Amino acid sequence: MTLKVHYFTDPNGDALEILHSKLESGIQLSTGKEIPPHAVYQVLINGTPERANLDASPDLDTLIIPYAGVPETTRNLLPDYPQIKVYNLHHNAAPTAEMAIALLMAAAKFLLPFDRTFREHDWRPSYQPDPSFLMEGKTALILGFGHVGQRVGRFCQALGMDVIAVRRHPETPLITGVQAEIHPPEVLNQILPRTDILIITLPITSETEGLIGAKQLASLIPGGILVNVGRGRIVDQAALFDALKDGTLSAAGLDVWYNYPKTPEERGSTPPANYPFHQLENVVMSPHRGGGSKETEILRMQHLAELLNALHNGTPTQNRVDISAGY
């Protein structure tokens, strides 16, 4: 049986060649930002489809979002199409987890302020009290224990930390060999006082937006560290800024933010938050590039091919999205 797929983009030549090379012979793939006339695809690959894209083919029963997470516009549209199954990709899990650990290490060891000073040939900070945070023997709490969170947990264990985690379905089998104490979301406030390092890998949903505020930050072990590679709005920005400024947190590593450029012209001058995080020495700032790497497009095509082959063969996949939950 032929599986007809339309990829609503124009992948570059190398990426498209990789995708074609890994697809089984029974999959017929078309690409482009124009819907084919008399569309008959069963699978549409499009992160932000419009209603016309979903209505174009009477055979459409599957939507693939070619990255992790579900955009808000897509989340709002899909309840009108209950017959469409939704999947996404986790090809960026490894680079995102690596970014989380890079931010953690840089924040814990205050690498950036020391780097800036030493570039001026100033050795004096080395002879002053060292603010570095020792991670071995500490407890890391990971909010969101899926593809990214479990990889982060494995790295934390390798650094000698104890790992506790919060996930919506604690009973779901883990996909890595990480050892962790796993809890449901309703006990979050009970385990925060045990936490030295809070690492956020959650998606943004109505349940996670504003999940971490002043009360939660004050509940952490004093002088802890926060790392966010999930979504900025999970953490209240005013509470986060105040906690970093007054020492409730000793440091933070942030790859996700509150304000984003809306046009190409704004990319060179958009403040990422309503508070001047850039003025704080104890913050490592990254412009939402956690999932990026030289290999990202190759990984995307590999994971996309694996998912399409599984759908063609009717074999189970872990990439199904629960639209009602938002991920």
Side-chain angles (χ1 to χ4, degrees):
M1 179 178 176
T2 300
L3 181 68
K4 296 182 179 180
V5 180
H6 183 71
Y7 195 170
F8 196 74
T9 190
D10 291 301
N12 66 48
D14 291 342
L16 189 58
E17 184 177 340
I18 291 170
L19 179 58
H20 275 296
S21 71
K22 295 185 176 297
L23 291 178
E24 295 185 354
S25 58
I27 298 175
Q28 181 179 316
L29 177 68
S30 60
T31 65
K33 294 187 177 181
E34 297 291 334
I35 294 296
H38 312 296
V40 290
Y41 48 79
Q42 292 106 2
V43 179
L44 175 65
I45 305 169
N46 188 349
T48 54
E50 297 180 357
R51 192 175 294 274
N53 306 146
L54 302 180
D55 292 338
S57 172
D59 298 332
L60 178 65
D61 61 21
T62 300
L63 173 70
I64 296 176
I65 298 169
Y67 41 78
V70 183
E72 185 175 2
T73 55
T74 304
R75 198 164 62 241
N76 293 337
L77 177 62
L78 285 172
D80 293 343
Y81 297 86
Q83 76 281 11
I84 296 179
K85 301 183 291 292
V86 182
Y87 297 84
N88 64 6
L89 299 182
H90 297 282
H91 64 284
N92 61 347
T96 303
E98 291 173 4
M99 175 61 80
I101 296 303
L103 290 170
L104 172 59
M105 298 288 281
K109 302 306 178 184
F110 289 81
L111 289 182
L112 297 189
F114 276 78
D115 175 85
R116 284 193 293 268
T117 303
F118 198 47
R119 287 175 185 273
E120 302 298 324
H121 306 159
D122 184 351
W123 291 73
R124 287 173 295 179
S126 185
Y127 294 90
Q128 298 168 357
D130 196 324
S132 293
F133 183 98
L134 178 66
M135 288 174 282
E136 185 170 2
K138 299 299 198 305
T139 297
L141 168 58
I142 302 172
L143 296 187
F145 211 51
H147 291 260
V148 175
Q150 291 178 46
R151 286 173 168 83
V152 172
R154 196 169 55 190
F155 288 136
C156 288
Q157 283 188 326
L159 291 169
M161 288 181 264
D162 295 323
V163 176
I164 54 180
V166 168
R167 69 185 316 202
R168 194 161 62 97
H169 296 294
E171 73 284 356
T172 303
L174 301 181
I175 57 176
T176 68
V178 63
Q179 299 295 316
E181 178 187 317
I182 304 175
H183 297 273
E186 54 265 26
V187 303
L188 173 61
N189 288 335
Q190 299 172 35
I191 58 180
L192 285 171
R194 299 169 49 194
T195 302
D196 297 287
I197 299 168
L198 179 61
I199 303 175
I200 300 168
T201 66
L202 288 168
I204 189 72
T205 70
S206 59
E207 294 179 352
T208 64
E209 184 166 0
L211 181 65
I212 302 299
K215 176 183 175 181
Q216 287 72 32
L217 294 174
S219 297
L220 300 172
I221 293 174
I225 294 177
L226 181 142
V227 172
N228 193 356
V229 294
R231 288 295 183 268
R233 300 197 316 273
I234 293 169
V235 184
D236 180 84
Q237 60 175 313
L240 178 57
F241 183 83
D242 290 343
L244 287 162
K245 193 171 182 179
D246 68 19
T248 300
L249 292 173
S250 65
L254 308 174
D255 185 52
V256 288
W257 295 96
Y258 305 93
N259 305 325
Y260 284 79
K262 294 181 175 60
T263 66
E265 292 75 23
E266 293 180 359
R267 292 175 184 173
S269 58
T270 298
N274 299 335
Y275 294 83
F277 285 91
H278 63 282
Q279 294 179 1
L280 301 177
E281 286 286 301
N282 56 346
V283 180
V284 181
M285 303 175 64
S286 172
H288 203 148
R289 51 185 290 268
S293 71
K294 295 178 181 178
E295 295 85 3
T296 293
E297 279 308 303
I298 295 174
L299 291 171
R300 190 195 310 273
M301 295 303 111
Q302 291 173 342
H303 283 240
L304 182 55
E306 289 173 6
L307 175 56
L308 290 172
N309 290 339
L311 294 174
H312 178 249
N313 294 324
T315 54
T317 173
Q318 297 179 343
N319 294 48
R320 184 79 178 265
V321 172
D322 181 350
I323 288 298
S324 63
Y327 59 94

